[in-house]
Amino acid sequence: MLKYQMYIYVFLVVIGLTLVACDEDPIVINPVNNDLINIPFNPVSVTLDIPFHLGKMVIPEDNPLTKDGIELGRYLFYDPILSGDSTLSCAGCHKIEHGFADLTATSMGITGQNGKRNSMSLINVGFSNTGLFWDGRSPNLEAQALVPVEDPIEMNAYWPDVVEKLKSHSEYPAMFRKAFGIESSSKITKELVAKALAQFERTILSTNSKYDKIQQEIPGYKYTDEELLGLALFIDGEPLVPDAECFHCHNLNLTSSSLYFNNGIQIAETIEEFKDPGRGGFTGNILDYGTMKVPSLRNILFSAPYMHDGRFENLDQVLEHYNSGGHHSPNINANIYKLNLNQEELDALKAFILTFQDTSFMNNPALKSPFN
């Protein structure tokens, strides 16, 4: 009996100590931190003003354009906070004055290393629906926006660290609330960052060039005789005018393509010899080796140097490359051959291409840095 009494006594002592411990250090379940709920969330939809001849831009259902989403994306695009040491922004390699491209052959990241390929122009990038980057490895803008941040030779950051910087920022939590309706700064994610960047990038539109005005039949705009010759060369529009074969890759009206091409820029005796495998390096398809995404010709005058490796310093060198027939490789596109265009024809072709320049786009305050 004494033994059982002792057990009961010990049990009661343990319970008592436990209760005392609980009184001294009670277990508290922290409530959800709804630190943003007092900030209004009233999304205002935005419809892009796109001329009919450019077609319709497909906007993802899970990332509709809103005024606050676009504005947040603009801030993030120009803010170096997304890089590992907060010194390089998206705009560091995609400068508005260079057609949202860069003025160097390959851009330099925060570690001092240069990238492997030229920074592509972002003009009208929202129309691109068959992959982004030169090799098309990202299916859409939302996916593409995630890549440069963690690329060790670009922004060299770690997404969890970037997200923490945004959560503790004095202004960004409120901006994410207004853009996406989150109730707490803890709900900021890399996916929301990418969505905001994608919204802003879909507003990077060039629709006001001479070419666009002629397509819209705006009074007072017409091609010169030289530009008309260039147009005929570009699209093979006249039987007595040579075909410059441009239209196959640079389709009017966006001046780009949903396809990938080997434009004779690399010398290769076999598929395995391409210095840059291009899309083939991503897909593994032997037919894709050496092929690249077709960049836009819009504002091309401002986005030199050209090609995936930035080898050409000016547009004249680009035209001479195509006129010469390019370099041999097993799967060079059939439209790349020696054209034998004379200087008058080359000048006319250049004159037509320059009708895609849009200086008003370059000065659009809605596309400029909010920090200036």
Side-chain angles (χ1 to χ4, degrees), residues 117-331:
R117 295 171 180 153
N118 183 255
S119 295
M120 296 192 79
S121 170
L122 298 180
I123 293 175
N124 294 344
V125 70
F127 290 101
S128 193
N129 56 14
T130 58
L132 296 158
F133 293 113
W134 285 97
D135 56 14
R137 64 187 182 274
S138 288
N140 52 46
L141 282 171
E142 285 78 6
Q144 183 277 332
L146 294 171
V147 178
V149 170
E150 288 194 319
D151 191 314
I153 60 174
E154 292 189 50
M155 302 175 89
N156 194 32
Y158 185 47
W159 265 115
D161 294 339
V162 173
V163 169
E164 287 304 313
K165 286 193 288 185
L166 294 172
K167 288 178 179 178
S168 61
H169 194 271
S170 61
E171 297 179 7
Y172 278 124
M175 296 180 74
F176 274 93
R177 162 67 175 174
K178 293 177 181 178
F180 298 109
I182 60 173
E183 296 182 347
S184 165
S185 55
S186 66
K187 300 298 182 181
I188 296 175
T189 64
K190 66 179 183 180
E191 288 78 16
L192 291 184
V193 174
K195 282 188 173 184
L197 286 169
Q199 285 194 45
F200 170 67
E201 289 172 350
R202 289 189 174 100
T203 70
I204 300 177
L205 294 171
S206 176
T207 64
N208 199 35
S209 67
K210 179 176 182 178
Y211 172 84
D212 296 310
K213 292 172 180 175
I214 293 173
Q215 290 298 107
Q216 296 175 80
E217 299 181 348
I218 295 177
Y221 290 92
K222 63 179 182 179
Y223 293 121
T224 64
D225 290 342
E226 183 179 43
E227 290 165 352
L228 282 172
L229 173 58
L231 172 59
L233 288 158
F234 193 97
I235 64 173
D236 189 22
E238 296 289 342
L240 299 180
V241 174
D243 186 0
E245 307 288 4
C246 308
F247 179 74
H248 303 286
C249 299
H250 297 282
N251 306 150
L252 302 176
N253 299 295
L254 293 171
T255 73
S256 58
S257 175
S258 60
L259 303 177
Y260 294 75
F261 295 91
N262 173 354
N263 65 344
I265 204 70
Q266 300 186 73
I267 302 174
E269 292 301 321
T270 67
I271 290 295
E272 291 77 15
E273 291 182 21
F274 281 110
K275 183 179 179 180
D276 188 329
R279 184 157 177 76
F282 167 63
T283 66
N285 186 336
I286 193 170
L287 297 178
D288 289 335
Y289 272 75
T291 67
M292 300 284 177
K293 186 175 180 62
V294 180
S296 171
L297 296 179
R298 289 177 174 271
N299 277 10
I300 193 171
L301 188 63
F302 307 103
S303 60
Y306 308 112
M307 302 300 171
H308 72 275
D309 54 5
R311 68 176 60 190
F312 295 137
E313 297 179 359
N314 55 58
L315 189 53
D316 293 314
Q317 291 177 359
V318 174
L319 294 177
E320 181 52 40
H321 162 74
Y322 289 118
N323 198 33
S324 70
H327 302 295
H328 171 75
S329 56
N331 60 345

Side-chain angles (χ1 to χ4, degrees), residues 88-109:
L88 180 65
S89 68
C90 304
C93 300
H94 298 280
K95 301 175 177 67
I96 187 171
E97 65 270 25
H98 295 291
F100 280 99
D102 205 356
L103 76 169
T104 58
T106 56
S107 302
M108 182 181 293

